[in-house]
Amino acid sequence: MHPGEVMLERSTRAQVTKYRGTLAIARWLCCGEVALSTWCEGWDVQDSMGRQKTPCPIPSCMFTRGCGKWDAAVAAHGQAVAPGCARLAQPMPSPRRSGRSSNSSPSSGQELVYYGPEHLSVEEIMPTQRYVNLTTFTTPDGLKNVFDVMMELIDPDCGGYPYTLKSTVDLFASPPWPQIRVAESEGTYYSIDNRRLFMLKVLGVSDVLAEEVAWMHEFDSKLRQDKPSATEKSKHSRTNDTGVEKTRQRLDAMLQHRLAERKLEADEAALVKAMKKLRRRYKALQEELTEVRAEKERLAEAKAVNLP
């Protein structure tokens, strides 16, 4: 029968809610296929280890077939058996709207309290971390390099700052990109989505539709972040203006390199096309030469016949 166990892709409801159904929530352990793709706010579950074995209130009808073993389970029990899963998050009471005291705010890993969308200038949003890792960024397609993500957002014909973004891009305001989350403290907005905020500043985006949430422990924790170790420092960038400018310079160099590669590819394609054309012309000339030689031989034979 079906193993009846799933692996949650993220360990907190905050992460699940953050991505708003754009990423799979759970996968079958037996085959790795998506078992649960959407989240219902009425479910109340919490996890500590990632692998779930205890019962939970998620109804079995919400799970799609993981593999052929599902049919065996239905045949043996007469109905689909609810998969095992552990508790993922506990609901918290709504805290007060502002202030940085974590006594009245949900802690990291607990349910976020959303106040609604807020249209903000990117420059007025402050990061909660002094450094961001440039080597990992979560996308619907998996982990990517921050530079690769920004390169995908920039028009291929753009060679440097100010950047021309692809017309289809709605930066981090709609699926597959979740809105950046911000909280207000003493008149200043802070974001816990530091990498996305950093990317917005590097790309020179003027304003963004953010999701305002209640201040919680995760904000305080990130504000106390230590410097990366010496071995990890090369993978990080400062989130201040200096870090933004240095990252932008690296991005400009990569864009110039991409343009140069595209030009070489275009030149190579043109040369290949010209070579094919020359080959066709050469073949036609060979055929003409063969015909001329044949005609010459025919005339020589006729001449020899007509000689006295």
Side-chain angles (χ1 to χ4, degrees), residues 279-292:
R279 288 194 184 102
R280 290 194 297 269
R281 180 58 179 162
Y282 176 71
K283 184 178 180 180
L285 289 174
Q286 277 188 319
E287 293 174 351
E288 290 181 16
L289 180 60
T290 301
E291 292 177 359
V292 168

Side-chain angles (χ1 to χ4, degrees), residues 112-223:
L112 285 176
V113 177
Y114 288 92
Y115 294 137
E118 190 76 27
H119 201 83
L120 300 172
S121 167
V122 173
E123 291 302 319
E124 70 177 296
I125 304 175
M126 300 297 296
T128 49
Q129 292 176 312
R130 291 179 296 164
Y131 295 86
V132 290
N133 190 327
L134 301 178
T135 60
T136 57
F137 183 80
T138 304
T139 73
D141 300 323
L143 289 177
K144 289 187 178 181
N145 184 292
V146 167
F147 287 101
D148 292 338
V149 176
M150 290 192 289
M151 294 274 283
E152 292 176 3
L153 299 176
I154 297 174
D155 189 277
D157 296 324
C158 179
Y161 187 79
Y163 307 119
T164 303
L165 303 181
K166 293 179 180 178
S167 58
T168 57
V169 172
D170 189 5
L171 278 175
F172 311 132
S174 64
W177 304 110
Q179 293 173 326
I180 62 172
R181 296 162 298 170
V182 299
E184 184 182 0
S185 175
E186 300 176 358
T188 302
Y189 282 99
Y190 293 84
S191 176
I192 49 176
D193 298 313
N194 290 277
R195 261 187 290 265
R196 277 178 285 151
L197 175 62
F198 181 75
M199 291 166 63
L200 289 172
K201 292 189 176 185
V202 171
L203 293 172
V205 177
S206 58
D207 52 78
V208 68
L209 187 65
E211 186 80 64
E212 187 177 1
V213 300
W215 191 276
M216 59 181 178
H217 177 69
E218 186 175 353
F219 285 86
D220 296 314
S221 178
K222 290 188 174 183
L223 284 169

Side-chain angles (χ1 to χ4, degrees), residues 21-288:
T22 59
L23 298 178
I25 293 174
R27 296 182 183 275
W28 293 111
L29 293 179
C30 58
C31 57
E33 293 187 12
V34 174
L36 190 63
S37 60
T38 57
W39 176 263
C40 175
E41 292 297 331
W43 298 336
D44 171 23
V45 296
Q46 180 175 356
D47 163 47
S48 59
M49 300 299 293
R51 179 168 296 187
Q52 290 70 41
K53 296 182 179 180
T54 57
C56 78
I58 298 178
S60 60
C61 63
M62 295 302 299
F63 289 85
T64 59
R65 292 184 178 183
C67 62
K69 297 179 181 179
W70 180 275
D71 295 324
V74 174
H77 298 275
Q79 61 180 354
V81 180
C85 185
R87 293 188 167 279
L88 180 68
Q90 294 289 343
M92 292 293 293
S94 299
R96 54 193 178 93
R97 184 177 178 85
S98 62
R100 290 169 55 175
S101 171
S102 58
N103 293 331
S104 58
S105 302
S107 62
S108 178
Q110 294 172 325
E111 183 182 15
L112 285 176
V113 177
Y114 288 92
Y115 294 137
E118 190 76 27
H119 201 83
L120 300 172
S121 167
V122 173
E123 291 302 319
E124 70 177 296
I125 304 175
M126 300 297 296
T128 49
Q129 292 176 312
R130 291 179 296 164
Y131 295 86
V132 290
N133 190 327
L134 301 178
T135 60
T136 57
F137 183 80
T138 304
T139 73
D141 300 323
L143 289 177
K144 289 187 178 181
N145 184 292
V146 167
F147 287 101
D148 292 338
V149 176
M150 290 192 289
M151 294 274 283
E152 292 176 3
L153 299 176
I154 297 174
D155 189 277
D157 296 324
C158 179
Y161 187 79
Y163 307 119
T164 303
L165 303 181
K166 293 179 180 178
S167 58
T168 57
V169 172
D170 189 5
L171 278 175
F172 311 132
S174 64
W177 304 110
Q179 293 173 326
I180 62 172
R181 296 162 298 170
V182 299
E184 184 182 0
S185 175
E186 300 176 358
T188 302
Y189 282 99
Y190 293 84
S191 176
I192 49 176
D193 298 313
N194 290 277
R195 261 187 290 265
R196 277 178 285 151
L197 175 62
F198 181 75
M199 291 166 63
L200 289 172
K201 292 189 176 185
V202 171
L203 293 172
V205 177
S206 58
D207 52 78
V208 68
L209 187 65
E211 186 80 64
E212 187 177 1
V213 300
W215 191 276
M216 59 181 178
H217 177 69
E218 186 175 353
F219 285 86
D220 296 314
S221 178
K222 290 188 174 183
L223 284 169
R224 294 192 295 267
Q225 179 201 47
D226 293 330
K227 293 193 301 183
S229 63
T231 57
E232 294 288 322
K233 193 172 182 180
S234 61
K235 302 178 183 179
H236 291 71
S237 170
R238 286 184 174 273
T239 55
N240 58 15
D241 292 342
T242 302
V244 168
E245 184 58 34
K246 287 184 177 180
T247 303
R248 191 176 287 160
Q249 291 173 3
R250 290 178 61 184
L251 183 59
D252 286 349
M254 295 175 70
L255 290 171
Q256 291 292 334
H257 182 73
R258 182 171 71 174
L259 283 179
E261 283 186 333
R262 291 184 63 209
K263 185 178 184 304
L264 288 175
E265 290 174 357
D267 292 344
E268 181 181 5
L271 287 173
V272 170
K273 185 178 180 180
M275 288 176 64
K276 290 181 178 179
K277 185 177 180 180
L278 286 174
R279 288 194 184 102
R280 290 194 297 269
R281 180 58 179 162
Y282 176 71
K283 184 178 180 180
L285 289 174
Q286 277 188 319
E287 293 174 351
E288 290 181 16

